[in-house]
Amino acid sequence: MLILGIDPGYAIVGFGLVESLQGRYHLAACGAINTSAGIRLSARLWQIATDLEKLIGQFHPDTMAIEELFFNHNVTTGIGVAQARGVILMTAEKLGLPIFEYNPSQVKQAVVGYGKAEKRQVMDMTKRLLNLNAVPKPDDAADAVAIALCHARSSTSQLRALS
C-alpha cells in the first residue's frame, strides 16, 4: 500500500509517500508544495490543488492520511491553514483517494508509542522505522512522512481487525 501523508498549510504543504508492505516501511518520496507569500490566498489555494493533483497523478497512492487541525494561538493563520486543508481534502475526494485523518496525539502514539512525545522523538522514530540516514527535510515533509507512517501502523494494527 502506498500512503500519501499530508501536513497541511497554505505557505508550505508537506507530503510524504510511504510504502507499507507486511509491516515493513519504505520512503518512496517526500517534499513540499510551496506557495509564494506575495500572491492572493485564492491563487495559493489553486496552486496547492493543481500541484497535489500532479503529485497524485505521478505516484498513484492508494490512500491519503492528513493531520487534523488544532488551533494554537494564531487564529488568523489557522483560518488560512483550514482553507488549504479544505482544498487538499476536496482534491483527494475529487480524485477518488480514500482519506484518513489523524490528530497530533494519534500520530505520536502510532510512531513513538506515546501520545505526548516530543517532536524530536517522532522524527527520530520516523528515521529509524524507515531506515533513513537523516530526518527528511523540510520539517513539513518530515511531519507528512510521520503522518503516513501513523496510517501505515494504524491500518495494520491487530486491534483494528478485531473491531
Side-chain angles (χ1 to χ4, degrees), residues 48-79:
I48 290 167
T50 302
D51 289 356
L52 185 58
E53 280 192 41
K54 288 178 187 171
L55 184 70
I56 292 168
Q58 178 182 353
F59 288 99
H60 305 287
D62 299 300
T63 189
M64 182 179 84
I66 186 169
E67 188 172 52
E68 291 179 348
L69 289 184
F70 68 99
F71 287 95
N72 218 356
H73 298 297
N74 193 340
V75 175
T76 304
T77 300
I79 291 170

Side-chain angles (χ1 to χ4, degrees), residues 51-118:
D51 289 356
L52 185 58
E53 280 192 41
K54 288 178 187 171
L55 184 70
I56 292 168
Q58 178 182 353
F59 288 99
H60 305 287
D62 299 300
T63 189
M64 182 179 84
I66 186 169
E67 188 172 52
E68 291 179 348
L69 289 184
F70 68 99
F71 287 95
N72 218 356
H73 298 297
N74 193 340
V75 175
T76 304
T77 300
I79 291 170
V81 173
Q83 290 173 323
R85 190 173 180 280
V87 166
I88 293 163
L89 292 171
M90 183 219 51
T91 302
E93 187 69 29
K94 173 183 166 186
L95 298 175
L97 197 58
I99 301 163
F100 296 86
E101 302 175 65
Y102 298 96
N103 66 45
S105 294
Q106 289 172 307
V107 174
K108 293 172 183 179
Q109 179 68 39
V111 175
V112 178
Y114 177 58
K116 294 183 180 180
E118 294 178 23

Side-chain angles (χ1 to χ4, degrees), residues 3 31 138:
I3 303 161

Side-chain angles (χ1 to χ4, degrees), residues 7-163:
D7 180 33
Y10 62 89
I12 303 171
V13 176
F15 69 86
L17 288 139
V18 172
E19 195 169 6
S20 175
L21 184 61
Q22 297 175 342
R24 299 183 66 98
Y25 314 110
H26 168 74
L27 180 62
C30 69
I33 297 170
N34 296 290
T35 65
S36 299
I39 61 174
R40 296 178 327 278
L41 179 60
S42 59
R44 292 172 107 169
L45 297 175
W46 179 262
Q47 181 185 342
I48 290 167
T50 302
D51 289 356
L52 185 58
E53 280 192 41
K54 288 178 187 171
L55 184 70
I56 292 168
Q58 178 182 353
F59 288 99
H60 305 287
D62 299 300
T63 189
M64 182 179 84
I66 186 169
E67 188 172 52
E68 291 179 348
L69 289 184
F70 68 99
F71 287 95
N72 218 356
H73 298 297
N74 193 340
V75 175
T76 304
T77 300
I79 291 170
V81 173
Q83 290 173 323
R85 190 173 180 280
V87 166
I88 293 163
L89 292 171
M90 183 219 51
T91 302
E93 187 69 29
K94 173 183 166 186
L95 298 175
L97 197 58
I99 301 163
F100 296 86
E101 302 175 65
Y102 298 96
N103 66 45
S105 294
Q106 289 172 307
V107 174
K108 293 172 183 179
Q109 179 68 39
V111 175
V112 178
Y114 177 58
K116 294 183 180 180
E118 294 178 23
K119 185 176 180 96
R120 66 172 179 73
Q121 292 173 301
V122 176
M123 294 301 99
D124 184 57
M125 281 304 295
T126 298
K127 184 177 94 170
R128 290 173 186 238
L129 289 167
L130 293 169
N131 197 26
L132 302 173
N133 293 327
V135 173
K137 296 288 181 194
D139 287 350
D140 305 273
D143 291 344
V145 171
I147 294 162
L149 270 175
C150 169
H151 182 66
R153 293 171 65 86
S154 298
S155 67
T156 58
S157 167
Q158 292 300 311
L159 293 175
R160 285 189 68 160
L162 298 175
S163 56

